[in-house]
Amino acid sequence: MIAILGAGSLGRLWAAKLPAGQVAFVPRPEQPVEPLAYLFRPLQGPDVSVQIPWLTDVQSPSLLVVTTKAGDTLNALKTLVSRLPETTPIVLFQNGLGSQQRVAETWLNRPVLAATTTEGANRPADRLTVHAGQGETWIGALTPAGEAQVPKTVSTLAKSGLSVQAESDILNRLWQKLIINAGINAFTAILNCPNGEILNHPFYQQWIDPLCYEISELLTASGQPPRTPTALREAIETVARKTAANTSSMRADRLAGRPTEIDFINGYLARLGAEHGIDTPVNQMLTYQVKQLERIS
C-alpha cells in the first residue's frame, strides 16, 4: 500500500495515476470514513471518476508520499512517523528548500527521500483535479538510509505512467527549481497575474537583476555549481514564457486566502544569506510583501 499525506492537487494527481487499489490517503483527525471521491481530467481522454480510501490504523504502508505544503510537513509527519516501519521510505514533494532538511535532520536514521517534479496539476473545482501539464519527476536520497531505497521507490512511482527518474544529486535539482520559483512566484503573487505577464511589468524589471545577483552569490556560498546572474535570469524567463498562461502556486494560494510557501522560497534564500553574511535585500523585500498580502487576505 502506498500512503499519500496531503490530498491537494499533486497528491490527487499521484493517487489517480497510480494503480487502483494500491493507494490510500492519510486521514486527518476526525476524517469521515467515506473514500475521497473526485473527477480526474487526464491530459488526453475523458474525465475519470476516482475513489481513494483513507489509510486505516491497521494498514502499514510500504511507501509514504508527502505532498503537504512545506510549512505543514514537519508537524504532519510527527503524528505519523511513529506508526511507520523504520524501513518505509518517506518521499518529500515540497516546494522550495528548508522543509526537506528539517525532516531529514529529525529522522536521520530513516529512509528520507526528496522529489522534485515538473508535472502540472490543479483543482479548478473542489471535486475536479486536472493534469495540466506533462513533466518529469526526479527522486534522490536525503539520508544515508534512503540511498538503498531510491531504485525501488522510483520503480513503484513509475507504475503511475509518469516519467520518474533517480537523481544522485537531488539537492542540486531542488536548487534549480528553487531558482525558478524564487524568480517567478512572488512576483505573480504581488502583481496578481499569470506567469508570463510579470516579464513586461516595471516592478519585475526593476528587481529581477539584483535578485539574480543575490541568488548567484548564494549558490556559490552553498557549494552549488556557480551560475551567473545573466544565466539565472535567462532560465527564469524561459520558464515564465513556457508557462505564460499558468497561475503559480503562490498566486493560487493568495487568491484562495491560504498561507503561501514564501518562507521556503525567497524567505529561505534570505535566511541563507544571513547565515553566510550575504546581503539579500530583494529576497527580503519579496518575502515581506507576500507576507503583507497574506495578512490582508
Side-chain angles (χ1 to χ4, degrees), residues 13-81:
L13 170 66
W14 283 102
K17 294 291 291 182
L18 286 163
Q22 296 184 21
V23 184
F25 281 118
V26 176
R28 294 177 177 177
E30 310 303 322
Q31 181 73 50
V33 295
E34 295 82 8
L36 179 61
Y38 57 97
L39 283 177
F40 175 67
R41 183 166 297 162
L43 291 170
Q44 296 180 333
D47 292 358
V48 179
S49 182
V50 177
Q51 284 199 349
I52 306 297
W54 299 100
L55 190 72
T56 66
D57 290 339
V58 298
Q59 289 176 306
S60 181
S62 59
L63 176 65
L64 176 64
V65 173
V66 185
T67 57
T68 53
K69 289 287 188 181
D72 300 331
T73 300
L74 187 62
N75 286 338
L77 281 170
K78 282 180 177 177
T79 62
L80 178 62
V81 167

Side-chain angles (χ1 to χ4, degrees), residues 33-185:
V33 295
E34 295 82 8
L36 179 61
Y38 57 97
L39 283 177
F40 175 67
R41 183 166 297 162
L43 291 170
Q44 296 180 333
D47 292 358
V48 179
S49 182
V50 177
Q51 284 199 349
I52 306 297
W54 299 100
L55 190 72
T56 66
D57 290 339
V58 298
Q59 289 176 306
S60 181
S62 59
L63 176 65
L64 176 64
V65 173
V66 185
T67 57
T68 53
K69 289 287 188 181
D72 300 331
T73 300
L74 187 62
N75 286 338
L77 281 170
K78 282 180 177 177
T79 62
L80 178 62
V81 167
S82 61
R83 293 168 44 196
L84 298 176
E86 289 191 356
T87 56
T88 299
I90 301 169
V91 188
L92 307 172
F93 272 86
Q94 282 60 53
N95 274 333
L97 276 171
S99 66
Q100 302 94 331
Q101 290 95 324
R102 291 179 188 176
V103 172
E105 290 164 3
T106 303
W107 293 286
L108 188 60
N109 295 323
R110 286 183 177 264
V112 179
L113 296 80
T116 178
T117 187
T118 55
E119 295 289 346
N122 59 57
R123 291 168 58 197
D126 183 53
R127 295 290 181 177
L128 174 64
T129 297
V130 177
H131 190 186
Q134 187 172 14
E136 294 184 306
T137 299
W138 293 272
I139 295 174
L142 290 178
T143 60
E147 294 285 353
Q149 297 290 346
V150 172
K152 183 178 179 181
T153 301
V154 168
S155 176
T156 298
L157 292 181
K159 294 175 183 177
S160 63
L162 302 175
S163 176
V164 184
Q165 302 173 50
E167 173 55 73
S168 59
D169 188 359
I170 193 63
L171 185 59
N172 179 257
R173 286 278 183 188
L174 293 170
W175 260 102
Q176 300 317 307
K177 188 170 184 181
L178 173 66
I179 289 164
I180 303 303
N181 286 342
I184 293 177
N185 290 18

